[in-house]
Amino acid sequence: MAILLQQEAVERARLISVGSYSVDLDLTVSDTEFGSRTVVRFDCAEPGASTFVDLKAASIASIRLNGNEIHPSKVADGRLTLGRLQATNELEVVATMAFTHDGQGLHRAVDPADDLAYIYGMSFLDAAPQIYACFDQPDLKAPYDLTVTAPSGWVVAGNSPARETGSGRWEFETTKPLSTYFFTVCAGPYETVRDEHRGIPLALHARASLGADLRRHAPQMLEITKQGLDYYEDLFGIAYPWGEYHQFFVPEFNAGAMENPGCVTFRDQYIFRGAAGRAEIMQRSNTILHEMAHMWFGDLVSMKWWDDLWLNESFAEYMAHRSCSAATEFDDAWVDFGIARKNWGYAADRAPSTHPIAGNAAEDTDSALTNFDGISYAKGCSALRQLALYVGDDAFVAGVRDYLSRHSYGNATLADFLEAIGGHTDVDLTSWSTGWLESAGTDEICVAVEGDPIAVVEASRTTPQAHPADRPHMLDIAGFSGGRELWRTPVFTLGGDRTEQAPLVGLANPNLLVPNASDLTWTIPVFDEATLAALPQELPQVGDAQARQVVWAGLLNGMATATVDPRTVLATFETAFPVETNESLRHWTSRLVPRHLGAFLPYRERDDAVTRIAATAQRAIDAASDDAGSDDASDDAVVTPTRLLAATSTDEALLRAWVADEQIPAALAGDMDFRWSALIRLAELGLVDDAAIDAFAAHDRTLTGGQKALTAKVIRPTQQAKEWGWTQLEQNTGLSNYDCLAIAVGIFVAPDPDLVRPHIERYFRVLPALAERQGEFASQKVALEAFPVEITEDATSQAAQEALRTVRMTANVRRAIVDRAAVLDEALASMRRFGG
């Protein structure tokens, strides 16, 4: 299929303006295809000229332009050329489209729990032409009239309110102007919980087999939804503009969620089947608020082209954490942002594929998709947080209001945003934008002191040599000893050739010196030797969760840059995790630390590290049990370390008991996903066979259960298991996007690298080819998860570089391999410095 070039989009937008779409979808044609009839009305600025419409159909019944027939054979490479345009035009396309299984277009999934089918539309980024004929680019907005035929009894919803006019026949109100990539329709026997807030109809939807879980979680999700609507309407000064507000939790969704106006789609893992810790509920709440922020940023005002992606994602990320912290129970949302999102962004910003937040040269839609990463989300969010400090929050909010009101239902650019903010401040935004938005790379900030009391202070900022930039930083510094905060400086700036020295002279010299202690800026803190040596003893005593999060950022990123010994990270985790009280830090360090150490430690130390992590988890469980009767006790204190123990334990008897639903802590009672974790760990240890996995899966006949079974089968430490996994990826065309991902996560997991080392070549052959039948989103995720970073050897790095030179790949698979190869090289550099 042809890829849309930016220059083509510019020319098409110059030539035409779209007046309206009428789309009629028939979802009853078959299990594999649906009917699609589109009528698009558009004007042409130069009558007699030509342009093209995007269409990716399984078959075409008829095409008419201004009443004239066009033969279906004229559609080539996903495009139909339209010639001899009039000033006013009408195009009608009647076609049959294919349901997909890769999370793009109109995705259809069957839940094995009850054999019921569910459909949802995902038009992002360039998948709308798989549903209807359209001029598929973000700046050709138009209103839609939609009609849908679906099986009787189904729930049907989309971008505007709908009513059932006959059995299975639905008519939607005319929408406000939408970019094509926002079009959606969701249909199926969904379970629904309804509510209303300030005149806005609200609805939550999920698969019928998740109905009980949906109802259990609905009150909390509806509360967050209402709090978000109130906060955003008050902050932006613009009422929610899209009528109803549907939130669909759909199967096999590639992203976390998608901000379709009036009809947001989420991955249905957010409807937790078992125990849900505070960090998980916060993550879901933040995602709800993120997508809701898009109703204004992205939907009401959309980017003109994908090079201004940050105008959507950075703002939604920032506004979600801002609203979560200010308007909900999750007042520690910035701690969660720091440990979860920023570490994702820091990794992206030091990768070879790093790019500026704004102004990226997205020459086509494929290259645009590669920039949906931690830079466009987390780094952009941090930059906006800095901007609010830099110009003052009142000026920032006033500028945001102007931006939204000036460009409502239209498109905007970076220049438009800066103009709106600039109208409320005298600060030079041009130089600020150049340093923060238009330059790549992460600064490192180091503060060193001498004397006690402190007599000498040296604060330095190091900017990456490959990406020179002058970024002023608004930040603070704190000192801790014995868990007590000795002092914290006021916010100060660090930038250019000058340093405004923090007023530290005369203060006590602390055991821990923490730059950016409140995590106000985007930087990697660099710790002095005394601080690093003291961390295992001192960090568990620090009372400020935000400062503890910043320390973890320094440790994890320092390990990646070969400035922190991974053994220091492990030692600090051993002392800090059992007494950690912030659930976000407990949750994310229990995931991040084992994952990083699994690649950065030498082979000979990895088994011992897993044993030590399991022992640390057990100490945390014991500590939680000791505190069970206290007022501060929570299920989180048990759930997170018990999950960690299930992933790291070698106690076969305990793991088998958990699989059998025995000896499970009360907080995890009935949690099928926890029992799967124990079974997958047994499989990883080679202690279960296919028959045992199939027998367990028979008790969980759901989409999730089927995917867990795939992981359990491929993760077993045998050549037969690994061969089976590769055969599935290569030959089983019936696998969904989630099935492929479930196999990918276990294919290179092995107790001995000799077992999987021969499969490295196969990765670089199979994964690029997989993209030919899986969408860009799905294939990129599979390539990321399957990359053999655990085979931490120069030969693996060399194989990656050779493949990048010689193997044909899509842009997104290439990006995945480039980034994971960079992580591998970081691990190799760490081993060379600290002993491998």
Side-chain angles (χ1 to χ4, degrees):
M1 293 294 178
I3 297 169
L4 181 65
L5 304 178
Q6 182 178 16
Q7 63 187 33
E8 293 177 314
V10 170
E11 173 59 19
R12 189 162 62 174
R14 183 194 67 81
L15 188 66
I16 70 166
S17 57
V18 184
S20 67
Y21 285 97
S22 294
V23 179
D24 183 17
L25 302 178
D26 185 353
L27 308 182
T28 66
V29 172
S30 74
D31 291 347
T32 59
E33 294 179 331
F34 62 96
S36 172
R37 176 182 178 271
T38 307
V39 177
V40 55
R41 298 171 182 87
F42 62 100
D43 293 339
C44 178
E46 298 177 2
S50 299
T51 189
F52 61 92
V53 72
D54 302 289
L55 176 61
K56 303 173 183 177
S59 63
I60 300 170
S62 66
I63 303 171
R64 290 184 180 88
L65 175 64
N66 299 325
N68 299 313
E69 293 279 353
I70 300 176
H71 197 275
S73 64
K74 297 298 183 181
V75 177
D77 230 11
R79 292 181 176 182
L80 169 64
T81 299
L82 305 175
R84 300 178 186 177
L85 295 176
Q86 301 174 8
T88 301
N89 303 271
E90 180 177 285
L91 172 70
E92 180 192 53
V93 177
V94 180
T96 299
M97 306 293 203
F99 287 119
T100 67
H101 301 286
D102 63 1
Q104 294 177 247
L106 214 55
H107 183 101
R108 184 181 186 273
V110 176
D111 188 350
D114 47 24
D115 292 326
L116 296 177
Y118 297 88
I119 292 167
Y120 62 88
M122 179 61 163
S123 295
F124 180 85
L125 177 143
D126 57 357
Q130 296 176 247
I131 305 174
Y132 64 105
C134 58
F135 297 103
D136 191 24
Q137 59 190 73
D139 59 340
L140 289 178
K141 286 187 167 184
Y144 285 74
D145 289 296
L146 173 65
T147 52
V148 174
T149 301
S152 179
W154 275 21
V155 171
V156 179
N159 299 116
S160 61
R163 63 189 180 93
E164 191 172 12
T165 58
S167 181
R169 184 65 176 172
W170 294 79
E171 293 186 4
F172 290 74
E173 295 179 9
T174 302
T175 71
K176 302 289 177 60
L178 303 177
S179 296
T180 50
Y181 77 94
F182 290 137
F183 175 89
T184 195
V185 61
C186 297
Y190 286 95
E191 190 82 10
T192 298
V193 176
R194 298 187 185 276
D195 203 343
E196 183 268 342
H197 183 62
R198 289 168 50 175
I200 304 170
L202 308 176
L204 305 172
H205 312 268
R207 286 180 283 135
S209 65
L210 291 174
D213 297 307
L214 175 68
R215 291 188 292 274
R216 177 165 56 94
H217 288 286
Q220 191 274 337
M221 292 191 290
L222 288 168
E223 179 184 23
I224 290 293
T225 300
K226 295 172 184 179
Q227 290 170 331
L229 287 168
D230 289 346
Y231 184 84
Y232 289 144
E233 288 190 348
D234 180 64
L235 187 70
F236 302 147
I238 298 173
Y240 170 73
W242 303 107
E244 298 178 350
Y245 196 60
H246 293 266
Q247 297 178 88
F248 277 84
F249 294 83
V250 299
E252 301 177 339
F253 199 69
N254 284 319
M258 178 61 199
E259 65 270 20
N260 314 300
C263 190
V264 179
T265 44
F266 299 82
R267 57 171 53 219
D268 64 9
Q269 288 93 331
Y270 281 134
I271 305 299
F272 303 109
R273 303 196 304 168
R278 187 175 189 274
E280 292 165 304
I281 298 295
M282 185 192 304
Q283 183 184 16
R284 182 180 68 195
S285 300
N286 190 277
T287 303
I288 288 172
L289 293 171
H290 178 111
E291 304 310 319
M292 187 184 294
H294 273 309
M295 299 299 115
W296 289 266
F297 281 101
D299 297 5
L300 182 65
V301 181
S302 306
M303 60 194 170
K304 190 173 183 65
W305 179 248
W306 301 105
D307 52 357
D308 272 323
L309 162 69
W310 79 285
L311 284 170
N312 288 13
E313 299 304 343
S314 299
F315 272 99
E317 187 89 351
Y318 170 73
M319 289 299 173
H321 286 90
R322 176 174 174 142
S323 61
C324 205
S325 178
T328 78
E329 65 177 291
F330 301 110
D331 55 3
D332 58 340
W334 289 112
V335 175
D336 190 81
F337 171 73
I339 189 65
R341 306 293 280 181
K342 286 186 79 173
N343 282 300
W344 170 46
Y346 287 143
D349 207 21
R350 65 173 178 266
S353 58
T354 186
H355 56 86
I357 296 169
N360 295 290
E363 298 178 354
D364 55 53
T365 49
D366 270 11
S367 61
L369 185 58
T370 64
N371 290 335
F372 278 72
D373 58 15
I375 296 170
S376 296
Y377 286 76
K379 185 180 181 182
C381 168
S382 297
L384 290 172
R385 198 178 185 197
Q386 277 284 293
L387 180 60
L389 290 170
Y390 200 62
V391 303
D393 196 62
D394 289 345
F396 177 77
V397 172
V400 166
R401 285 186 165 207
D402 282 355
Y403 171 78
L404 292 173
S405 61
R406 289 176 191 173
H407 303 285
S408 290
Y409 303 109
N411 300 83
T413 64
L414 167 62
D416 295 322
F417 171 72
L418 293 179
E419 180 183 5
I421 299 293
H424 297 274
T425 181
D426 294 329
V427 172
D428 177 14
L429 293 180
T430 301
S431 61
W432 184 90
S433 176
T434 299
W436 273 103
L437 301 179
E438 300 165 62
S439 303
T442 300
D443 293 346
E444 294 181 347
I445 291 180
C446 179
V447 179
V449 299
E450 295 180 12
D452 192 7
I454 296 171
V456 178
V457 180
E458 182 178 346
S460 62
R461 180 198 66 172
T462 303
T463 299
Q465 291 183 355
H467 304 284
D470 183 9
R471 283 177 282 267
H473 292 271
M474 311 284 287
L475 70 154
D476 61 4
I477 301 173
F480 301 86
S481 288
R484 186 166 62 92
E485 183 175 315
L486 302 181
W487 43 260
R488 185 180 296 243
T489 71
V491 172
F492 74 107
T493 60
L494 181 65
D497 295 327
R498 77 193 193 295
T499 298
E500 293 184 21
Q501 296 288 357
L504 304 185
V505 174
L507 299 178
N509 195 330
N511 292 338
L512 298 185
L513 186 60
V514 184
N516 192 35
S518 296
D519 203 26
L520 297 176
T521 193
W522 179 264
T523 185
I524 295 176
V526 178
F527 303 125
D528 59 22
E529 291 301 321
T531 292
L532 281 174
L535 275 175
Q537 291 72 43
E538 290 284 338
L539 184 61
Q541 304 178 68
V542 172
D544 179 20
Q546 193 78 72
R548 297 199 302 275
Q549 171 264 306
V550 171
V551 168
W552 276 115
L555 284 173
L556 293 170
N557 289 282
M559 181 167 61
T561 57
T563 57
V564 174
D565 191 331
R567 298 165 188 85
T568 299
V569 177
L570 177 58
T572 304
F573 181 77
E574 287 182 290
T575 58
F577 181 78
V579 297
E580 181 56 65
T581 56
N582 182 275
E583 177 54 20
S584 289
L585 295 180
R586 186 160 43 202
H587 175 83
W588 289 108
T589 57
S590 74
R591 295 183 173 203
L592 294 172
V593 170
R595 178 170 183 144
H596 282 69
L597 292 175
F600 280 75
L601 284 172
Y603 292 138
R604 64 179 179 275
E605 297 181 33
R606 292 181 185 179
D607 286 346
D608 179 62
V610 172
T611 299
R612 291 167 63 181
I613 289 170
T616 301
Q618 185 62 61
R619 288 196 299 275
I621 294 169
D622 295 341
S625 299
D626 292 342
D627 293 339
S630 72
D631 293 337
D632 296 331
S634 70
D635 287 348
D636 290 345
V638 174
V639 168
T640 299
T642 305
R643 285 174 172 166
L644 177 59
L645 184 58
T648 55
S649 177
T650 56
D651 186 337
E652 180 180 357
L654 178 63
L655 292 170
R656 290 195 181 280
W658 283 347
V659 171
D661 202 17
E662 299 169 357
Q663 302 178 33
I664 293 179
L668 285 161
D671 191 327
M672 181 60 78
D673 290 333
F674 173 72
R675 294 171 64 193
W676 269 115
S677 295
L679 184 73
I680 289 171
R681 179 58 177 162
L682 285 171
E684 183 181 355
L685 296 170
L687 299 174
V688 291
D689 58 15
D690 274 356
I693 295 168
D694 289 338
F696 189 76
H699 299 291
D700 186 18
R701 293 183 55 82
T702 65
L703 285 168
T704 301
Q707 289 144 14
K708 298 283 189 183
L710 292 175
T711 300
K713 289 182 177 182
V714 77
I715 208 170
R716 290 171 303 149
T718 67
Q719 281 293 350
Q720 293 84 353
K722 306 306 178 183
E723 182 63 36
W724 173 85
W726 286 117
T727 300
Q728 295 299 307
L729 290 177
E730 286 185 276
Q731 301 178 16
N732 190 345
T733 58
L735 293 177
S736 74
N737 51 338
Y738 269 41
D739 294 336
C740 291
L741 193 61
I743 294 170
V745 298
I747 206 156
F748 276 104
V749 176
D752 184 346
D754 288 344
L755 175 65
V756 289
R757 191 179 286 114
H759 296 285
I760 292 174
E761 177 275 333
R762 202 165 185 177
Y763 168 91
F764 294 112
R765 175 167 47 86
V766 173
L767 270 295
L770 184 66
E772 295 179 5
R773 68 174 192 270
Q774 292 280 344
E776 286 290 278
F777 265 113
S779 57
Q780 182 181 36
K781 290 170 74 72
V782 173
L784 281 169
E785 291 296 336
F787 188 91
V789 69
E790 300 92 342
I791 315 304
T792 319
E793 300 168 4
D794 288 328
T796 311
S797 178
Q798 292 162 6
Q801 298 310 315
E802 177 66 17
L804 290 168
R805 285 192 299 270
T806 61
V807 178
R808 183 176 175 273
M809 307 177 190
T810 64
N812 290 278
V813 169
R814 177 173 294 275
R815 170 70 178 269
I817 292 176
V818 166
D819 286 355
R820 292 301 283 166
V823 174
L824 173 66
D825 289 342
E826 289 174 346
L828 290 169
S830 175
M831 289 182 184
R832 284 191 290 270
R833 175 166 184 185
F834 296 109

